[in-house]
Amino acid sequence: MRAARLIKMVLLLQSRPSMTAAELAEELEVSERTITRDALALSEAGVPVYADRGRAGGYRLIGGYRTRLTGLARGEAEALFLSGLPGALRDMGLEDAASAARLKVSAALLPSLRDAPESAAQRFLLDAPGWYQEPETPELLPPIAEAVWDDRMLSARYRRGDGEVDRELAPYGLVLKAGVWYLCARAGRAFRTYRVDRFTAVALGEERFVRDEEFDLPAFWAERAAEFARSILRAEVVLRLSEAGARRLPYVTDRAAAEEALAGGTEDGAGRLTATLLVENEEVAFSQLLALGPEAEVLGPESLRARFAAAARGLAELYGQDGYGGGYR
């Protein structure tokens, strides 16, 4: 356990000019006192770890030291080949580069690990698009991806509503969500998200932008995705749910909204829960809540309740005592 931690500590210090004890402790999930002991152990073993004193101090490797700890375990080798997304790489025009990189890594592996690429490929596959969709690669994705990789400014024309707008963008990252590509970019001083299939023209500039070191693409996307999901929920529906209906509600509508509704609901003496659910609109709510059948009763708004009442009458007529078309009982 300690040997693996010492190796990771050396690799971390190799990848950065300097790291504080607190940063190393957070990365390695140990105390700062353990970091001090580990640094001393590495030094005694001949690894030139140097400690800078003072408020801005930290640990660093001196003399251009590079470790030769390049061996990969089988699990590590297989995980490495899982990191590529063939479809996404192809869409961005990076398939050849990724293939060359995999070949180089494969050639460097021990003979006993040469089957790692095939082993991983036969066991795991990421299929990003949702069901019943035939994803289309946006025509302008490759030049946008090139701008992202090279930190090049991008002059773009973007379709918004009934018109188009021109934007000068610093393209920070691309996200593939359920088969749809999004560009996270800085426009002026603000970071925004754009659907790649809505760009009608792009041109790579000669100028390169300086990245904000504090920008975190996964955190930015998670925050914006949550904001978007919340922003479209503009209507309220009051429901009376059975126990089964309460269990199934998160599976038919927005999960966060469902969990919030259930947490704030009130129970009656019959084991039913009355809750207020945020929804996009009545049309969406009707199609979603219809899946709960008799396990959910809409109490309001009255217009939506009327739609469910009409649907219930239609179902009763369709599946009445005489059966469908009179042929079934």
Side-chain angles (χ1 to χ4, degrees):
M1 184 71 172
R2 189 188 185 199
R5 187 175 72 243
L6 291 174
I7 292 171
K8 186 174 181 181
M9 183 173 176
V10 173
L11 294 175
L12 284 169
L13 292 174
Q14 251 185 215
S15 65
R16 306 180 194 181
S18 176
M19 293 184 71
T20 66
E23 291 171 337
L24 285 167
E26 182 178 358
E27 287 278 359
L28 299 174
E29 299 181 351
V30 295
S31 67
E32 292 185 33
R33 181 172 296 181
T34 298
I35 294 298
T36 301
R37 289 197 297 265
D38 286 353
L40 180 60
L42 287 171
S43 181
E44 291 174 348
V47 179
V49 178
Y50 182 79
D52 292 313
R53 306 297 180 185
R55 179 177 298 179
Y59 292 95
R60 60 187 175 88
L61 295 174
I62 60 175
Y65 179 85
R66 305 293 294 179
T67 179
R68 296 184 180 276
L69 298 171
T70 55
L72 290 175
R74 170 167 293 278
E76 294 169 333
E78 291 177 345
L80 176 64
F81 286 96
L82 281 176
S83 62
L85 308 179
L89 291 169
R90 182 179 60 250
D91 292 348
M92 291 188 290
L94 298 173
E95 186 176 25
D96 291 342
S99 177
R102 285 193 293 270
L103 286 173
K104 290 178 181 179
V105 173
S106 296
L109 291 175
L110 293 172
S112 61
L113 299 178
R114 294 284 168 81
D115 66 336
E118 293 76 13
S119 174
Q122 291 301 322
R123 286 166 172 79
F124 299 98
L125 173 68
L126 175 61
D127 186 9
W131 290 105
Y132 315 118
Q133 296 182 26
E134 189 63 36
E136 295 183 4
T137 302
E139 182 180 352
L140 298 176
L141 178 60
I144 292 174
E146 182 180 349
V148 170
W149 284 113
D150 291 344
D151 294 341
R152 300 263 293 275
M153 291 297 296
L154 195 67
S155 298
R157 183 168 297 165
Y158 188 75
R159 187 174 67 254
R160 190 176 66 180
D162 296 330
E164 295 184 351
V165 294
D166 293 323
R167 291 286 183 266
E168 292 294 322
L169 303 174
Y172 270 63
L174 286 162
V175 176
L176 178 60
K177 170 70 171 179
V180 180
W181 285 95
Y182 296 87
L183 173 68
C184 301
R186 191 182 68 223
R189 295 185 177 181
F191 285 96
R192 304 185 185 281
T193 303
Y194 302 87
R195 276 187 60 141
V196 172
D197 58 6
R198 292 181 184 171
F199 285 104
T200 58
V202 297
L204 277 68
E206 295 297 327
E207 178 187 357
R208 283 180 164 81
F209 64 92
V210 178
R211 284 178 171 264
D212 182 348
E213 294 183 357
E214 296 184 357
F215 179 80
D216 184 327
L217 179 61
F220 172 80
W221 175 257
E223 180 182 347
R224 291 304 170 90
E227 288 177 359
F228 173 76
R230 189 74 179 180
S231 69
I232 63 175
L233 304 179
R234 301 188 181 95
E236 290 185 351
V237 174
V238 180
L239 300 171
R240 182 183 290 128
L241 299 160
S242 67
E243 291 184 6
R247 287 195 304 270
R248 291 167 52 192
L249 184 64
Y251 299 97
V252 301
T253 187
D254 181 82
R255 178 173 290 273
E259 291 175 349
E260 183 178 323
L262 294 173
T266 57
E267 293 186 11
D268 60 18
R272 295 174 301 180
L273 183 76
T274 299
T276 300
L277 175 70
L278 288 173
V279 296
E280 186 173 346
N281 53 50
E282 286 192 15
E283 185 67 33
V284 172
F286 178 75
S287 63
Q288 291 175 339
L289 298 176
L290 196 62
L292 296 179
E295 307 302 333
E297 178 187 0
V298 173
L299 303 179
E302 187 58 39
S303 56
L304 183 59
R305 182 179 173 86
R307 291 189 65 174
F308 273 93
R313 288 192 295 270
L315 287 171
E317 182 178 345
L318 186 63
Y319 295 102
Q321 291 185 352
D322 291 336
Y324 177 70
Y328 296 92
R329 295 185 181 277

